[in-house]
């Protein structure tokens, strides 16, 4: 039974990893374009903390669902939930953006980030 469906799992894994590569390149490029260079490392650390910090909550929710509705129902709920995450970007104004302004162009050379948070260049 599982031998006949192994190729579908393989295709799904390939599609997922290709999508993940495209997503990571786009999100890091987007953040680099919008964030001032002096704050990029802090912003990157914050984003990694927020994205990685949700993993324990997902594991807890998966365990609770697995013990209440069963493994198949939990996997189905996870697959449906994950397949709908594209709606966050699809319905946002981000999809209609044609051009990104750089931080300096948006706020000017002496913008609000100039201060104690931005390291001084010597």
């Amino acid at each position: 039974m599982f031998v006949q469906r192994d190729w579908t799992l393989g295709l799904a894994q390939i599609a997922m990893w290709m999508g993940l590569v495209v997503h990571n390149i786009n999100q890091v490029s987007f953040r680099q374009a919008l964030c001032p260079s002096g704050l990029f490392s802090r912003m990157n650390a914050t984003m990694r903390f927020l994205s990685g910090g949700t993993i324990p909550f997902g594991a807890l929710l998966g365990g609770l669902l697995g013990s209440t509705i069963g493994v198949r129902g939990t996997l189905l709920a996870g697959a449906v939930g994950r397949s709908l995450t594209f709606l966050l970007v699809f319905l946002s104004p981000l999809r209609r953006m044609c051009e990104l302004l750089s931080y300096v162009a948006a706020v000017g050379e002496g913008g609000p980030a100039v201060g104690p948070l931005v390291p001084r260049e010597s």
Side-chain angles (χ1 to χ4, degrees):
M1 177 171 140
F2 290 111
V3 176
Q4 294 174 353
R5 296 184 191 181
D6 281 345
W7 65 273
T8 58
L9 177 62
L11 286 178
Q13 289 286 319
I14 289 170
M16 182 190 74
W17 285 110
M18 288 173 63
L20 197 60
V21 167
V22 170
H23 170 265
N24 284 337
I25 291 170
N26 284 323
Q27 70 144 328
V28 171
S29 299
F30 184 75
R31 290 194 326 237
Q32 284 175 339
L34 291 180
C35 185
S37 61
L39 297 177
F40 185 70
S41 59
R42 292 178 184 169
M43 184 267 310
N44 195 33
T46 302
M47 289 301 297
R48 285 180 165 262
F49 175 76
L50 291 174
S51 63
T54 60
I55 293 172
F57 298 114
L60 180 64
L61 180 63
L64 290 172
L65 283 175
S67 63
T68 55
I69 66 172
V71 176
R72 284 183 184 252
T74 302
L75 290 174
L76 181 62
V80 169
R82 190 165 185 162
S83 67
L84 295 177
T85 57
F86 79 96
L87 290 173
L88 293 172
V89 174
F90 186 74
L91 298 175
S92 75
L94 179 65
R95 185 175 63 95
R96 291 180 288 282
M97 291 180 73
C98 296
E99 194 175 298
L100 287 177
L101 295 175
S102 70
Y103 178 78
V104 174
V107 299
E109 192 62 42
V114 174
L117 294 178
V118 178
R120 295 186 185 269
E121 296 183 23
S122 302

